[in-house]
Amino acid sequence: MESFENIYLDLSKQPGKCRFAENGLGWKPSGGGDTFTLDNTAIDAAQWSRASRGYELKIYPRNQNVVQLDGFLQEDLDRLIKPFKVWYGINLEHKEHALRGWNWGKGEFGKAELAFNVQNRPAFEIPYTEISNTNLAGKNEVAVEFSLPVNEGEEGNMGGARTVGRKAGGAKDQLVEMRFYIPGTAKKGGGGSGSEPEEEEEEQNAANLFYETLMEKAEIGEVAGDTYATFLDVLHLTPRGRYDIDMYENSFRLRGKSYDYKIQYEAIKKFMLLPKPDDQHTLITIGLDPPLRQGQTRYPFLVMQFKRDDEVTIELNMTEEMLAGKYEGKLQGHYESPIHAVVAQVFRGLANKKVVTPSKDFVSHHLQSGVKCSIKANEGHLFCLDKSFMFVPKPATYISFDSISSITMSRVGGAISASRTFDITIVLKGSAGDHQFSNINREEQKPLEDFFRTKGLRTKNEMIDDSSALMAAAMQDADIASSDEEVVAARADRGSADEDEESVDEDFAASSDSDPAEEYDSAHESSGGSDEEMEDVQEEVEKPVRSKKDSGSGGKKGEERELESRPPKKKVRTAK
């Protein structure tokens, strides 16, 4: 028997004692707890390499996940070669890592992990169990997301050793996403070492082939036969797009054109069924922790929209034993109802989450469960629940009553038009900021005030204080309107001084009903032939026109003299 101290299992926080015997190996944390054992018949391969805590022994079981034991010293290699060769019949492979620091190489799919090799040496390996999701981030780019750590109390009694998909959570800082740029094309079946050749190799986009292989190896999509229910082409407002929803035993999957997501039911913290105030749609809002990630964007809520009159008929892919046992009273084998009701019931049965609906204590002026409002430039609806407020769709905002310090109802602008709408500002406790909902219809003021009073929320109505300011603004607008009327009346007394030069000259038309002679009489001789006479006429035209106000009692005669100085306007004959 060989025994080693201060050995860490699967990147655990606490070290333990590791023993190798003829019938297998075992590890027990130093602080006490559950013991990890592995039978010698289950060991398929083993590898020795340099690691962060000295040297690492990586064991590949036949039907289990990769086992990592690190914290060994360099001289421990000779002590480990003998038990593996003699007792387990396995050659302990010494693997050297690539230390050049290059970020380009070759990705190879092994039996239990993805290896990134540089000059035929592994730069790093990623166990498939640590991959939570993968997406095509571009034409030649694949994003790989890693599992997030669980809470401290959920680690079990193995000295902080993580379970499946939780190894990297032992550190304070954790890598959560990695992207691979994969250009060119590749032949299907000619990829990594774990791929099986196809009957006919066909070339396709290398990034797509990498993505599909990783989905299969990491079992992100799970098996189609394990799908309990599938809902096709469901409209999502957050994140925007249409996704197919596959429901499994412990998780559900969103399949879109560009992104796929696998979400565990344990990540669902809130589930709300919200009837949209348009009497046509119903929203299903799912709160997630950890939130959904799409590149650098995080989505703490999923918002789905369904038409109320769309019905669906579905048979759950479950046996009678499952329905009568684990899901008794939670699920039915057959559903024939509006699609939003079916989705809510299936989620409630599989995820075991309570469905939250709007409070019965609130009814809007239009007999709805929500009111239309805005957060900055984003329009949406604010729903009043029994213990919280929920604004959807974007940005989806959840506010618990327990976190509210006060609510202020106010009107902005100070004008008469502002009296049709008002704003609500919700101030949070502990200087956590505030949320402002604007452009709420004035008719919703009383229903909201009654709801705030029913829930015991501190409310301040600043609109009452604004009544005097509104009256002053109204009086000021009335004074402006009366002064405008006086100005218009004064302008009306100016007579023809305000008329446009292109207006019809009635006096000229009255003096002569006939057409000008020079227009139609070929024998007529123009009286303005000389240049000097034309200059005199031009000077007369450019003289300023005197208004009736300036000319006093002789205004009419001045106007006639003005008309005489103007050149006669030509009339154009049009065909009838």
Side-chain angles (χ1 to χ4, degrees):
M1 180 181 291
E2 294 288 348
S3 180
F4 301 89
E5 300 286 345
N6 296 324
I7 304 300
Y8 296 82
L9 171 67
D10 290 338
L11 304 179
S12 60
K13 292 183 178 180
Q14 299 179 12
K17 188 174 184 178
C18 184
R19 291 180 178 179
F20 294 86
E22 189 173 351
N23 58 347
L25 63 93
W27 178 88
K28 186 176 182 178
S30 301
D34 297 338
T35 301
F36 170 80
T37 59
L38 184 65
D39 193 77
N40 60 350
T41 58
I43 301 176
D44 187 40
Q47 176 182 304
W48 173 271
S49 62
R50 188 70 185 266
S52 59
R53 293 187 175 119
Y55 285 84
E56 176 188 69
L57 176 64
K58 187 179 291 185
I59 302 173
Y60 298 90
R62 299 184 189 278
N63 298 315
Q64 298 183 28
N65 303 312
V66 178
V67 178
Q68 293 174 270
L69 295 167
D70 65 327
F72 292 97
L73 302 176
Q74 186 175 5
E75 52 268 21
D76 294 338
L77 176 61
D78 296 333
R79 297 173 57 191
L80 287 170
I81 291 178
K82 180 181 178 181
F84 272 90
K85 187 173 182 179
V86 176
W87 294 338
Y88 310 145
I90 295 172
N91 290 325
L92 185 59
E93 182 184 3
H94 190 186
K95 199 88 170 181
E96 292 287 344
H97 281 82
L99 303 177
R100 288 184 174 271
W102 291 359
N103 65 340
W104 67 93
K106 183 179 181 181
E108 294 187 358
F109 294 95
K111 181 180 178 181
E113 60 188 6
L114 167 65
F116 185 79
N117 296 333
V118 176
Q119 291 186 335
N120 296 324
R121 289 186 177 185
F124 58 86
E125 302 97 349
I126 305 174
Y128 297 137
T129 55
E130 299 300 308
I131 299 174
S132 64
N133 194 26
T134 180
N135 286 299
L136 283 169
K139 183 179 180 182
N140 302 111
E141 192 172 8
V142 178
V144 179
E145 298 178 10
F146 305 122
S147 302
L148 294 173
V150 294
N151 296 328
E152 201 68 32
E154 300 177 8
E155 296 177 6
N157 298 319
M158 296 185 64
R162 304 289 170 150
T163 56
V164 177
R166 298 291 189 270
K167 291 183 179 180
K172 293 182 179 180
D173 298 321
Q174 180 182 352
L175 180 66
V176 296
E177 182 178 300
M178 181 182 293
R179 295 199 175 194
F180 294 93
Y181 176 73
I182 310 170
T185 59
K187 290 184 179 180
K188 191 172 184 180
S193 59
S195 60
E196 298 180 359
E198 299 284 339
E199 293 181 0
E200 293 183 3
E201 295 182 356
E202 56 181 34
E203 285 195 356
Q204 62 176 354
N205 185 283
N208 288 342
L209 181 59
F210 184 93
Y211 165 75
E212 293 172 0
T213 307
L214 186 59
M215 288 278 290
E216 179 183 352
K217 292 287 186 180
E219 297 181 354
I220 294 174
E222 301 196 31
V223 184
D226 297 337
T227 306
Y228 290 160
T230 299
F231 302 96
L232 301 177
D233 202 31
V234 176
L235 175 62
H236 285 63
L237 304 182
T238 305
R240 191 75 181 178
R242 291 187 175 272
Y243 295 86
D244 295 341
I245 305 176
D246 295 331
M247 310 289 292
Y248 301 97
E249 182 178 3
N250 299 314
S251 65
F252 69 99
R253 181 185 174 199
L254 302 179
R255 292 185 288 110
K257 293 182 178 179
S258 301
Y259 290 93
D260 284 7
Y261 303 100
K262 180 183 176 182
I263 304 170
Q264 300 292 329
Y265 290 138
E266 62 184 17
I268 298 178
K269 304 304 178 184
K270 305 175 185 66
F271 193 96
M272 290 165 277
L273 188 64
L274 309 174
K276 204 171 181 180
D278 59 0
D279 290 327
Q280 296 180 2
H281 300 90
T282 298
L283 303 176
I284 289 181
T285 304
I286 302 176
L288 301 175
D289 187 20
L292 199 68
R293 296 200 315 272
Q294 193 177 95
Q296 299 296 328
T297 308
R298 290 174 174 263
Y299 295 99
F301 288 92
L302 296 178
V303 182
M304 311 175 190
Q305 179 171 287
F306 302 89
K307 290 185 178 180
R308 295 187 187 179
D309 54 357
D310 284 356
E311 294 196 357
V312 64
T313 302
I314 188 172
E315 294 282 347
L316 295 186
N317 185 21
M318 289 185 177
T319 62
E320 294 293 337
E321 290 77 12
M322 295 177 65
L323 292 172
K326 182 178 180 180
Y327 300 106
E328 183 180 5
K330 299 179 180 179
L331 293 174
Q332 304 174 12
H334 175 81
Y335 288 96
E336 187 174 353
S337 300
I339 185 170
H340 67 270
V342 177
V343 172
Q345 292 176 25
V346 174
F347 263 103
R348 180 178 58 185
L350 293 176
N352 197 23
K353 302 295 180 181
K354 179 184 176 182
V355 178
V356 179
T357 56
S359 175
K360 297 181 180 179
D361 296 330
F362 176 78
V363 179
S364 71
H365 177 76
H366 300 286
L367 305 179
Q368 301 293 336
S369 302
V371 296
K372 187 176 181 180
C373 60
S374 302
I375 293 182
K376 297 182 179 179
N378 301 305
E379 290 188 355
H381 294 90
L382 180 66
F383 291 90
C384 299
L385 312 180
D386 284 327
K387 297 181 180 180
S388 59
F389 294 107
M390 186 69 208
F391 176 86
V392 288
K394 184 181 179 181
T397 305
Y398 177 86
I399 307 173
S400 175
F401 290 164
D402 297 336
S403 63
I404 296 177
S405 174
S406 63
I407 300 177
T408 303
M409 307 176 72
S410 60
R411 183 190 298 111
V412 295
I416 295 296
S417 60
S419 63
R420 299 177 183 176
T421 61
F422 66 97
D423 297 350
I424 288 179
T425 303
I426 300 178
V427 181
L428 304 180
K429 295 179 181 178
S431 302
D434 56 33
H435 298 278
Q436 186 176 37
F437 304 95
S438 56
N439 298 328
I440 304 175
N441 196 317
R442 180 63 183 271
E443 297 171 342
E444 309 294 352
Q445 178 184 348
K446 188 177 184 306
L448 285 172
E449 281 185 318
D450 295 341
F451 179 75
F452 298 157
R453 193 178 302 110
T454 302
K455 297 301 180 182
L457 300 174
R458 292 178 52 193
T459 307
K460 180 181 179 182
N461 192 345
E462 294 183 350
M463 292 189 291
I464 299 177
D465 302 335
D466 294 341
S467 58
S468 58
L470 286 173
M471 290 299 296
M475 295 300 295
Q476 183 179 2
D477 292 344
D479 294 340
I480 293 174
S482 61
S483 62
D484 290 342
E485 293 176 358
E486 293 176 0
V487 172
V488 172
R491 290 181 178 177
D493 294 338
R494 295 181 63 188
S496 62
D498 288 333
E499 293 181 1
D500 192 272
E501 293 184 0
E502 299 296 328
S503 61
V504 179
D505 199 335
E506 297 178 356
D507 294 339
F508 177 77
S511 61
S512 176
D513 294 338
S514 62
D515 294 332
E518 68 270 20
E519 187 74 23
Y520 305 106
D521 190 355
S522 60
H524 176 76
E525 294 181 3
S526 175
S527 60
S530 64
D531 295 338
E532 295 178 357
E533 293 177 355
M534 291 298 294
E535 291 177 0
D536 295 339
V537 172
Q538 182 69 20
E539 292 177 0
E540 291 294 333
V541 171
E542 293 177 354
K543 288 182 179 180
V545 180
R546 291 185 302 171
S547 64
K548 179 179 179 180
K549 190 175 181 178
D550 297 332
S551 59
S553 60
K556 183 66 176 180
K557 295 181 180 180
E559 183 179 349
E560 292 176 355
R561 288 195 298 270
E562 173 197 349
L563 295 174
E564 291 175 358
S565 65
R566 295 182 182 178
K569 292 187 177 180
K570 297 181 181 181
K571 291 187 177 181
V572 180
R573 178 176 295 175
T574 58
K576 293 183 179 180

